[in-house]
Amino acid sequence: MNFKAIYSLYIPLIMCAILLVSTTGCERDTNIQDAKPALTGTIEPGVVDANTKFGFNLFNEILNTEEDINIFISPFSVSLALAMTLNGASETTEQAMIDTLQLQGNDSETINTSYALLLQALKTSDPKVTLEIANLLWADQYFTFNQDFLQRNTDYFGAEVSTLDFADPNSVDTINQWVDTNTNGKIEKILEQIAEDEILFLINAIYFKGAWQTEFDPANTRDNTFHLADGSQKQVPMMTREDTYPFYYASDFTAISLPYGEGRVSMYIFLPSQNSSLDQFLENLNAENWQNWISQFREQKVWLQIPKYKFEYKTNLNSVLKALGMGIAFDENAANFSRMLPDGAATTGNLFISRVDHKTYVEVNEEGTEAAAVTNVGIGVTSAPPSFIVDRPFFFAIHDNETKTVLFMGTVVDPTEE
């Protein structure tokens, strides 16, 4: 058996999170107004259900591409980044993204408002739980975007819009520094480089730190045997305690809920029985079964042993999201993100999603759990407009195009000279 079962349980836990915004080394878009006051109303239940369905669809599709490795994702982080991108999609591209995110039957206003209310509701006053969520749009300073598209993401997602010179190699460091800061140093970078055709990054970052409602005593942590799926064994540090926890029995697994702080957030662990396996459990892991299982937990006294662990995970979600039905959004010729462009704008190319990168970090110890996630949606443009910045001495001419006569010509070495 490997750790996949434990990590699949983090889906609800990580549906909590992102970070504080820092814009050192970049320029804020001054045309974007400050976020509007906190919204009132209720979250559309269909949007919450959609997040759950998308999360399990995403996790299960990743399982098809990964084998015998630790997996840890934040589906809410991915959902947020894609929902921001959705504000720029049109026609069949918009519908494909809505279908992939399981948001069918909800209009744009309902989707945006529900995400805004959800982000508002996730704020916690629990002194033992830190949950921070941040969104930022990094735009190439030489490309003009539709102000309505930018404003929507500011109003509903609290996203700040900052511009950078994407041709400057230091821009990669600036973006990575924001990621590092807003994951409390747990994820140092999301970008290695910026491709020539990339003009926008929509980034979501999540940071979570929760202390157990009742912490484990480090004196009771001892090495014990952990049985791997291939039959081999390893000695791992096991945290141990006896207490009353929400618990659930099924024919082929048992499950426990470990609360953090005041109990609003919990870690759920599902352990396949000895006559079953993790693979068999995962075959039944979907949104419907998940909701059925967690409704049946009942408190009982349990002697608990859980391993301490810490690891990072990273993946590119392009192929996964294509498999889930979003392929058109990655098609540089067919994708339609016209709502990202100013009305009537002329562009030499078509906008498309160039990449969706996802990185996570998790540590579980006697005190609690620390986790972070970053999702980056890159927007590229086919044959991106060339930059032409007249910032050095130049030659110029005045030419009569009918008679082919050059009327004037000259050079400028200092524009301030009269």
Side-chain angles (χ1 to χ4, degrees):
M1 184 177 98
N2 61 29
F3 282 132
K4 285 182 183 175
I6 293 177
Y7 307 137
S8 67
L9 314 170
Y10 279 97
I11 289 175
L13 163 63
I14 298 305
M15 284 189 173
C16 297
I18 293 177
L19 305 165
L20 307 172
V21 176
S22 165
T23 57
T24 302
C26 61
E27 181 179 338
R28 187 178 186 273
D29 191 323
T30 55
N31 292 317
I32 303 301
Q33 303 301 311
D34 292 335
K36 61 186 179 184
L39 299 172
T40 58
T42 58
I43 302 167
E44 169 60 42
V47 173
V48 177
D49 291 342
N51 271 313
T52 302
K53 292 175 183 176
F54 170 71
F56 283 106
N57 289 346
L58 182 71
F59 184 80
N60 285 321
E61 192 61 42
I62 290 174
L63 286 175
N64 292 332
T65 65
E66 307 276 21
E67 187 174 353
D68 295 328
I69 67 167
N70 297 335
I71 297 175
F72 183 59
I73 68 169
S74 171
F76 188 55
S77 174
V78 178
S79 173
L80 277 170
L82 290 176
M84 290 193 294
T85 308
L86 181 62
N87 277 314
S90 295
E91 299 179 347
T92 53
T93 301
E94 180 180 18
Q95 191 58 52
M97 294 186 70
I98 287 174
D99 292 344
T100 298
L101 291 169
Q102 302 296 304
L103 291 166
Q104 301 92 330
N106 296 285
D107 59 25
S108 179
E109 181 67 19
T110 300
I111 293 171
N112 281 325
T113 301
S114 292
Y115 271 99
L117 291 169
L118 184 55
L119 287 170
Q120 190 173 299
L122 284 170
K123 295 177 181 177
T124 176
S125 59
D126 190 332
K128 298 182 74 174
V129 173
T130 299
L131 179 57
E132 297 171 340
I133 302 176
N135 298 304
L136 189 60
L137 274 63
W138 297 90
D140 188 333
Q141 66 186 30
Y142 301 119
F143 198 95
T144 302
F145 291 92
N146 187 320
Q147 291 299 306
D148 180 66
F149 160 69
L150 301 176
Q151 191 72 54
R152 280 170 174 265
N153 285 317
T154 296
D155 288 346
Y156 294 104
F157 293 86
E160 187 165 347
V161 179
S162 294
T163 59
L164 290 168
D165 179 359
F166 278 19
D168 182 350
N170 292 324
S171 293
V172 172
D173 295 333
T174 299
I175 294 173
N176 286 334
Q177 181 57 55
W178 182 87
V179 168
D180 181 67
T181 299
N182 289 286
T183 56
N184 202 29
K186 299 308 175 185
I187 299 175
E188 294 181 355
K189 60 183 179 180
I190 192 67
L191 290 177
E192 295 292 340
Q193 62 182 12
I194 298 175
E196 289 184 1
D197 62 356
E198 290 180 314
I199 55 171
L200 175 68
F201 296 115
L202 302 98
I203 303 183
N204 165 265
I206 291 180
Y207 178 73
F208 171 83
K209 186 171 185 179
W212 301 122
Q213 194 169 81
T214 306
E215 297 182 8
F216 291 80
D217 185 348
N220 294 330
T221 299
R222 295 180 176 83
D223 285 352
N224 207 342
T225 302
F226 191 90
H227 302 272
L228 304 181
D230 63 5
S232 61
Q233 301 177 353
K234 284 190 175 180
Q235 293 297 302
V236 301
M238 289 279 194
M239 305 180 294
T240 305
R241 73 183 317 273
E242 183 178 307
D243 207 339
T244 299
Y245 293 104
F247 200 78
Y248 175 59
Y249 285 102
S251 60
D252 52 355
F253 67 85
T254 52
I256 196 168
S257 173
L258 308 179
Y260 299 99
E262 297 174 353
R264 172 174 168 171
V265 182
S266 299
M267 176 194 292
Y268 289 82
I269 299 176
F270 287 68
L271 181 67
S273 58
Q274 292 185 349
N275 61 359
S276 184
S277 69
L278 177 60
D279 288 340
Q280 289 175 290
F281 172 80
L282 293 174
E283 288 177 1
N284 296 311
L285 182 62
N286 55 50
E288 183 179 357
N289 283 339
W290 169 263
Q291 292 167 344
N292 178 49
W293 293 334
I294 63 172
S295 69
Q296 299 184 62
F297 277 69
R298 300 292 182 269
E299 288 199 350
Q300 75 170 65
K301 200 163 191 177
V302 178
W303 188 75
L304 171 66
Q305 276 198 330
I306 177 177
K308 291 176 61 174
Y309 52 91
K310 176 175 69 172
F311 71 92
E312 297 177 358
Y313 176 76
K314 63 179 180 179
T315 186
N316 176 275
L317 296 175
N318 288 24
S319 60
V320 170
L321 292 170
K322 289 176 184 178
L324 291 176
M326 239 178 70
I328 190 172
F330 295 88
D331 189 322
E332 61 182 34
N333 296 312
N336 185 342
F337 287 101
S338 57
R339 289 198 297 156
M340 290 187 181
L341 301 171
D343 293 339
T347 177
T348 61
N350 188 53
L351 303 189
F352 64 97
I353 295 180
S354 58
R355 61 167 121 176
V356 180
D357 297 318
H358 189 60
K359 294 186 75 171
T360 58
Y361 166 92
V362 64
E363 179 177 6
V364 176
N365 57 29
E366 290 88 353
E367 296 176 355
T369 301
E370 190 171 20
V374 172
T375 302
N376 171 43
V377 178
I379 300 296
V381 61
T382 57
S383 301
S387 297
F388 187 76
I389 306 165
V390 184
D391 59 357
R392 50 197 175 275
F394 62 94
F395 168 85
F396 72 108
I398 299 174
H399 178 252
D400 175 76
N401 295 312
E402 184 171 333
T403 65
K404 314 299 182 187
T405 303
V406 178
L407 300 175
F408 303 92
M409 66 175 62
T411 60
V412 175
V413 296
D414 183 355
T416 66
E417 285 187 0
E418 296 185 1

